[in-house]
Amino acid sequence: MQKDMDTLGLLKKLVSIPSFSREEGPACDFLEGWMKEAGLGEVHRIGNNLWVESSPADDRPVILLNAHIDTVRPASGYTRDPFFATEEDGRLYGLGTNDDGGSLAALIQVYALLKDTPQPYRLILSATAEEEVSGRGGLDLLLPEIGRVDFGIIGEPTGMRMAVAEKGLMVLDCVSFGKSGHAARNEGVNAIYEALGPIDWFRNHVFDRVNDFLGPVKMTVTQIDAGTQHNVVPDRCTFVVDVRPNGMYTNPELLAMIKDSVNCEVKERSTRIDSSSLPMDHPAVVRGLSLGLEPFGSPTTSNQAVCPFPTLKIGPGESSRSHSADEYIVLDEISEGVRILTELLNGLEL
């Protein structure tokens, strides 16, 4: 690691710059300047996405290192200022320290360590926007600019376990219809009652195909809305379903099965957030297993979902701290992550 590369100072500064999804401009401006001063090479930018390359394009495979710079909004239970980084008892507190500042710091250091040593691949480091909202202005926007990628490390807080599979995401907007009437009389058709059958199906249905790492498809009703006032039978009940595909069905296939099974209107917001998986015989997984890294299936989505090439999700920190009040990263987790990722990537033959 370069002696003047103060990634702890970088993290503290980034905490102080709000970088909510689609509002990452000021944080991206600061990081762009920091990367230039740190001597990481020519810094490229599109939108609020940055990348640097270890060498000009050649015939070697390309490995992409990626972490995101956007955050969710702070949870209501914060007892500390979420925008003031506090170092205490070996921890760094502040919004975005765990998700995804720890991975950003680690990948920057790994890139600095590997970029000037002979490798059987070209290395690209990227810091991208809109991950928390699966937006098209993030990694989706950057990938066409950098061209071919053969393998990616997606930095996320996994406790340095290897996420060799990741569930996808579909959000469904559902509507059950009824007929309005006076609540005091036996009139109308209550749309809330009409929704109970479909809601019960989403709660209890089990799809046949189960993934060894990801388990079954998971469906959860997360929002519901109906009625205009207490004495009117509602003629419309809307509800939202969070669906986590497990890679055993394509998203369109799963959507068609759902629409055929429930007696309500179902409209998908998107089918683009696919499940992903990495074969256990992939060179990166084989190397990781030799280092004692544990493989697992991740229930949460990340930038893996938009990568049309093999990826491994791994990084310092714990997923359970993400989006929580008083978020923090343990500083030793970052240094350990740098060590493991360097060993994982140094000399890796794809």
Side-chain angles (χ1 to χ4, degrees):
M1 176 181 166
Q2 298 176 11
K3 292 182 180 180
D4 61 347
M5 189 164 292
D6 180 15
T7 51
L8 177 58
L10 169 66
L11 280 185
K12 289 179 176 180
K13 180 62 178 179
L14 286 175
V15 167
S16 72
I17 307 173
S19 55
F20 307 134
S21 301
R22 299 192 175 97
E23 300 175 21
E24 306 93 343
C28 189
D29 293 341
F30 171 76
L31 182 58
E32 181 179 11
W34 186 95
M35 292 172 73
K36 291 176 180 177
E37 291 182 7
L40 293 177
E42 182 181 0
V43 182
H44 306 274
R45 179 170 180 170
I46 182 169
N48 290 322
N49 306 286
L50 305 169
W51 76 98
V52 289
E53 304 184 29
S54 64
S55 62
D58 54 34
D59 293 334
R60 288 176 296 167
V62 176
I63 295 181
L64 175 70
L65 309 179
N66 175 256
H68 65 87
I69 62 174
D70 60 316
T71 73
V72 297
R73 295 181 183 275
S76 60
Y78 263 87
T79 63
R80 304 166 179 265
D81 182 347
F83 303 110
F84 184 80
T86 306
E87 192 176 348
E88 183 179 305
D89 297 328
R91 298 176 174 182
L92 184 67
Y93 289 88
L95 181 64
T97 50
N98 182 76
D99 186 14
D100 197 28
S103 290
L104 176 64
L107 290 179
I108 287 174
Q109 294 179 32
V110 170
Y111 178 82
L113 286 165
L114 296 178
K115 74 182 184 71
D116 293 327
T117 60
Q119 298 293 339
Y121 53 78
R122 292 178 56 236
L123 195 60
I124 299 177
L125 169 70
S126 61
T128 53
E130 297 190 16
E131 189 274 344
E132 295 290 2
V133 293
S134 301
R136 294 183 181 273
L139 189 57
D140 265 338
L141 185 64
L142 180 144
L143 288 177
E145 300 296 317
I146 62 178
R148 190 192 88 215
V149 176
D150 297 280
F151 175 63
I153 293 287
I154 305 300
E156 288 282 350
T158 69
M160 294 311 296
R161 296 188 299 158
M162 299 188 295
V164 297
E166 177 183 270
K167 281 190 172 180
L169 171 66
M170 285 195 301
V171 179
L172 307 180
D173 291 301
C174 303
V175 186
S176 289
F177 297 96
K179 182 179 179 180
S180 61
H182 200 294
R185 296 190 292 268
N186 190 23
E187 294 179 347
V189 177
N190 195 317
I192 295 176
Y193 299 158
E194 295 298 302
L196 293 179
I199 289 173
D200 187 64
W201 184 88
F202 281 115
R203 179 183 182 184
N204 294 302
H205 182 75
V206 177
F207 289 94
D208 293 335
R209 304 175 205 164
V210 178
N211 186 293
D212 289 341
F213 279 106
L214 298 175
V217 173
K218 190 174 190 306
M219 301 186 292
T220 307
V221 177
T222 55
Q223 293 175 273
I224 187 168
D225 182 69
T228 57
Q229 60 189 59
H230 78 91
N231 59 353
V232 177
V233 173
D235 62 359
R236 180 183 176 91
C237 178
T238 65
F239 57 97
V240 176
V241 186
D242 178 292
V243 181
R244 301 288 169 155
N246 66 350
M248 305 302 292
Y249 306 85
T250 66
N251 285 0
E253 178 184 13
L254 200 58
L255 179 62
M257 295 171 70
I258 291 171
K259 288 184 174 181
D260 286 343
S261 301
V262 292
N263 184 27
C264 65
E265 180 180 280
V266 177
K267 292 184 179 180
E268 71 281 9
R269 296 184 187 178
S270 172
T271 59
R272 62 185 277 268
I273 308 299
D274 289 320
S275 306
S276 61
S277 62
L278 192 62
M280 294 301 290
D281 61 355
H282 187 277
V285 177
V286 173
R287 173 73 68 87
L289 292 173
S290 74
L291 296 173
L293 303 184
E294 176 191 350
F296 78 108
S298 174
T300 58
T301 59
S302 71
N303 275 337
Q304 277 189 301
V306 300
C307 294
F309 46 82
T311 57
L312 180 65
K313 181 166 72 174
I314 183 171
E318 296 293 343
S319 181
S320 59
R321 299 180 206 144
S322 300
H323 307 179
S324 65
D326 295 336
E327 181 182 349
Y328 68 90
I329 186 78
V330 178
L331 297 178
D332 285 347
E333 290 174 339
I334 299 176
S335 56
E336 180 68 0
V338 172
R339 182 189 67 79
I340 291 172
L341 287 167
T342 302
E343 291 184 16
L344 180 68
L345 292 171
N346 192 26
L348 182 67
E349 297 274 0
L350 294 179

